[in-house]
Amino acid sequence: MGVVGAAGAVITLTGRVVNEVVSFIIFTFLDLLDVFLCFVYKTVDFFVEAERKPCYCSSAKEAIISSGKILVSEQGESKIVCLCSSKLQLEDISDTLYTRPSLVSDISKSTVTELKRLKVEGKRVSEKVSVRSTLSINSTIVEMLQGKIGGQQVHPIPRWSDCDCKTCTSWTSSCKENTLFVRADGAVEKASETVLFIHGFISSSKFWTETVFPNFSESTKSKFRLLAIDLLGFGRSPKPTDSLYTLREHVDMIERSVIEPFKVQSFHIVAHSLGCILALALAVKYPHAVKSLTLLAPPYFPVPKGEQGTQYVLRRVAPRRVWPLIAFGASLACWYEHISRTICLLICKNHRLWEFMAKQITRNRVRTFLLEGFFCHTHNAAWHTLHNIICGSASKMDSYLDAVRDELKCEVTVFHGSDDELLPVECSSSVKSKIPRANVKVIEKKDHITIVVGRQKAFARELEEIWTKSSG
C-alpha cells in the first residue's frame, strides 16, 4: 500500500505540474491574442458602426478624478464633468471589469510607468497639458453612463456582432422594452402561493419550465402560481447595449416585471448558481414577504482577511487553468473581453444553426431547450453580468447571509452536486456556516447542471415538500 500510495502521489504531483506549465503557456498566448482582438474589434466597429466600442483594456479607475468628477468623451475631445447621479452606479461596478492581471498587462504597465518617470525627469510639463495627457483614457463605464443619463442608446440594437432574429429582438417593441420575459404556469389567476424561479448564468427560464414545471403535481399547480423569468440580457428579455447589468438593475427589473404587475405580497424563491445572489438580494429587500428560500449551487466564497473580495472570487471562479475543462471555459469567459466576444459572435449570433444541429444530434427535447437558453444572450449582457454580479457581489454576500440568518424566519434549503467542478460543495458548506438553520443537501454524482436536469421529477417532489412545510 505504501508503494501504491507513493506512486499515486507522484502521478498527482506530475499532473499538477503539467497542468500549471501548459496553462501558463496557453494563457500567455491568450493574453496576446486578446490584445490583438481588441485592435481588430475597434477597427471593425469603426467601419461598420462609425464608432469604436469602448472596452476595458484601459483602467477606468484612472478616469475617475474625485467626488463624482469623471472623464467623458464628446466629439473626440475629453473633458471632466460632475455627474452626481452616476455615483451610485459606479459603486455597483466590479473592478474585475478593468483590473485583470496578465503577463501582457503587467509588462505594459511597467513600461508605461518607466516612460512616465523618464518624461518627468526630462521635462516639466505644464499643469494643463499634464491633465490632458493623464486623462486621455477611454472609460467604458463613463461612456455607457453618459448614454444612460442622456437617455440614448450608445450603440444600435442589435449591434453587428449580435443576433438580429425575432426571438432576440422581440423585446424592442414598446410593450416589452421595460420588463423581463416571464413564463407563468400553475394557478396564474387564483393562486394562494407564488413561486419565483431565477436561472443562472447564460441560461433562461427554460432551465425550469422544461424540467421541473411539467413534473409538478396537479395539486401544486392548482395552488401555486409558478413564475420563471429570463434575466435582463438573457433569453427573450431586453438586452440593452447601454446597460451595465449591475445588481441594482437586475433586481429593479425583477420588481418591475414580477412583484409589481402580479401584485405579489409573499413568495417562495428557487434560484440556481448566479441567480442565488439575486435571490438573496430580493430576500433581504423583502424580508417579511419571502416564505422559503431554495438555493442551488450558490456561488459563495468567503473572502480571507487581507484579500480583495472581487479579485479573490474571480480567481476562484476562473483559476486560469486548462483542466478541468469547465475551469478553462470559465477562465475564457471571465478574463478575456475580446476572446469571449468572439465566442459570442460565433455561437450566439448563429444560434439558430447550432440549435438545429443540436436537435438533429441529441434528439433530446430538454437538453435542446437548455441549449437555446445558453445561446440567447449578447456579449455585453454576459460580460457585465458575470463581473458585476458574481465578482462584484463579493463584498455584499456576507451581509446578505447575515440578514437572512437574523431578519428572515423562512425555510432555507441548499442543494449542491457532489461532482460540481465549477462551484465546489464548499460554497454550500460556507452558506451553512453563516446560516446554521439552512438545510444543505449534497446530491451524489451530480454536477452543476445535472443537479436538476436528469432528476427533475425528484427535485419537483423536494420543492413541493419545502413549500408545503413553509406554507403550513
Side-chain angles (χ1 to χ4, degrees):
M1 288 294 293
V3 175
V4 175
V10 171
I11 294 174
T12 301
L13 178 60
T14 302
R16 188 178 303 168
V17 171
V18 171
N19 192 17
E20 292 280 350
V21 173
V22 174
S23 296
F24 175 80
I25 295 172
I26 290 179
F27 281 98
T28 299
F29 168 75
L30 292 176
D31 289 341
L32 295 169
L33 177 61
D34 202 59
V35 173
F36 171 73
L37 288 175
C38 174
F39 172 76
V40 171
Y41 279 116
K42 284 185 182 296
T43 303
V44 176
D45 287 342
F46 178 78
F47 282 103
V48 176
E49 299 176 351
E51 63 176 344
R52 296 192 309 170
K53 180 183 184 300
C55 67
Y56 291 99
C57 293
S58 299
S59 172
K61 280 187 173 180
E62 296 179 60
I64 301 174
I65 310 306
S66 63
S67 63
K69 292 184 178 181
I70 55 181
L71 179 72
V72 296
S73 298
E74 185 177 19
Q75 298 178 349
E77 294 292 326
S78 299
K79 64 179 182 178
I80 300 172
V81 297
C82 183
L83 298 174
C84 299
S85 61
S86 70
K87 188 174 187 297
L88 190 59
Q89 288 287 345
L90 287 171
E91 291 175 351
D92 288 337
I93 295 167
S94 172
D95 69 322
T96 57
L97 282 166
Y98 48 84
T99 306
R100 298 181 307 281
S102 67
L103 178 64
V104 175
S105 65
D106 289 343
I107 293 175
S108 300
K109 287 178 182 178
S110 61
T111 303
V112 171
T113 301
E114 183 63 19
L115 289 174
K116 285 183 178 180
R117 185 183 67 80
L118 293 173
K119 183 176 180 180
V120 170
E121 290 179 353
K123 182 169 90 172
R124 185 176 183 83
V125 187
S126 67
E127 182 179 356
K128 180 178 179 181
V129 176
S130 294
V131 170
R132 289 185 60 84
S133 175
T134 303
L135 300 180
S136 59
I137 297 171
N138 179 22
S139 169
T140 304
I141 293 174
V142 172
E143 292 193 20
M144 295 183 81
L145 283 174
Q146 188 182 24
K148 287 176 71 66
I149 293 170
Q152 298 178 348
Q153 293 286 343
V154 178
H155 302 290
I157 298 176
R159 304 201 65 216
W160 68 268
S161 55
D162 298 333
C163 179
D164 59 355
C165 73
K166 291 183 179 180
T167 299
C168 294
T169 59
S170 60
W171 63 274
T172 55
S173 61
S174 59
C175 62
K176 298 179 180 179
E177 190 169 356
N178 295 318
T179 58
L180 301 176
F181 182 80
V182 182
R183 286 183 169 88
D185 199 355
V188 178
E189 299 297 330
K190 298 180 179 180
S192 57
E193 304 275 1
T194 298
V195 185
L196 172 63
F197 291 82
I198 309 176
H199 65 78
F201 184 57
I202 51 175
S203 184
S204 75
S205 55
K206 290 184 178 180
F207 183 80
W208 309 110
T209 59
E210 299 299 327
T211 56
V212 294
F213 274 34
N215 289 287
F216 286 126
S217 65
E218 291 303 320
S219 175
T220 294
K221 290 185 177 181
S222 66
K223 298 177 183 178
F224 290 87
R225 176 170 53 188
L226 310 173
L227 304 175
I229 59 172
D230 287 349
L231 289 175
L232 180 66
F234 299 92
R236 298 191 179 186
S237 284
K239 304 172 180 65
T241 58
D242 66 336
S243 174
L244 294 174
Y245 296 89
T246 62
L247 184 67
R248 184 179 304 278
E249 288 178 283
H250 278 289
V251 172
D252 285 349
M253 283 295 280
I254 294 174
E255 291 177 314
R256 191 184 310 157
S257 309
V258 177
I259 296 177
E260 293 172 5
F262 286 92
K263 296 180 172 56
V264 177
Q265 300 298 319
S266 63
F267 56 102
H268 304 266
I269 304 179
V270 181
H272 176 242
S273 192
L274 173 142
C276 295
I277 299 173
L278 302 177
L280 288 170
L282 280 170
V284 171
K285 192 166 186 179
Y286 298 93
H288 303 297
V290 177
K291 305 188 72 173
S292 75
L293 189 59
T294 304
L295 308 177
L296 287 76
Y300 173 51
F301 297 93
V303 181
K305 290 184 178 180
E307 289 274 4
Q308 186 178 359
T310 53
Q311 296 292 329
Y312 177 78
V313 172
L314 174 65
R315 293 194 301 272
R316 290 300 304 271
V317 174
R320 285 168 63 92
R321 294 289 179 270
V322 296
W323 190 263
L325 289 178
I326 195 167
F328 180 66
S331 298
L332 288 179
C334 291
W335 288 84
Y336 300 107
E337 180 178 2
H338 305 291
I339 291 177
S340 59
R341 185 182 178 188
T342 303
I343 294 172
C344 282
L345 174 63
L346 295 174
I347 295 179
C348 300
K349 185 176 177 64
N350 303 291
H351 68 88
R352 287 163 292 183
L353 171 62
W354 299 111
E355 288 165 10
F356 173 77
M357 293 176 62
K359 290 177 182 178
Q360 302 305 312
I361 296 172
T362 64
R363 300 289 181 179
N364 184 306
R365 182 171 179 271
V366 172
R367 292 186 181 276
T368 299
F369 277 117
L370 292 178
L371 285 174
E372 290 179 14
F374 178 82
F375 293 146
C376 289
H377 62 272
T378 65
H379 174 252
N380 182 61
W383 176 256
H384 286 94
T385 298
L386 190 154
H387 283 277
N388 286 335
I389 305 299
I390 291 185
C391 298
S393 63
S395 61
K396 300 180 176 71
M397 287 294 284
D398 283 330
S399 60
Y400 285 166
L401 293 171
D402 288 341
V404 171
R405 179 194 63 212
D406 299 333
E407 300 175 19
L408 278 73
K409 305 302 180 183
C410 66
E411 287 281 327
V412 180
T413 308
V414 183
F415 292 87
H416 214 118
S418 63
D419 296 340
D420 194 330
E421 293 182 320
L422 180 62
L423 299 173
V425 177
E426 287 76 13
C427 290
S428 291
S429 300
S430 299
V431 171
K432 173 72 173 179
S433 67
K434 295 288 288 185
I435 309 176
R437 75 174 187 274
N439 182 16
V440 177
K441 299 181 179 181
V442 178
I443 311 301
E444 296 297 329
K445 298 181 180 180
K446 299 299 179 182
D447 58 27
H448 199 66
I449 301 299
T450 57
I451 191 174
V452 174
V453 180
R455 61 179 299 271
Q456 49 263 34
K457 291 183 179 180
F459 184 58
R461 300 290 84 77
E462 290 165 339
L463 288 178
E464 289 173 338
E465 183 180 345
I466 292 170
W467 301 338
T468 300
K469 182 179 178 181
S470 300
S471 299

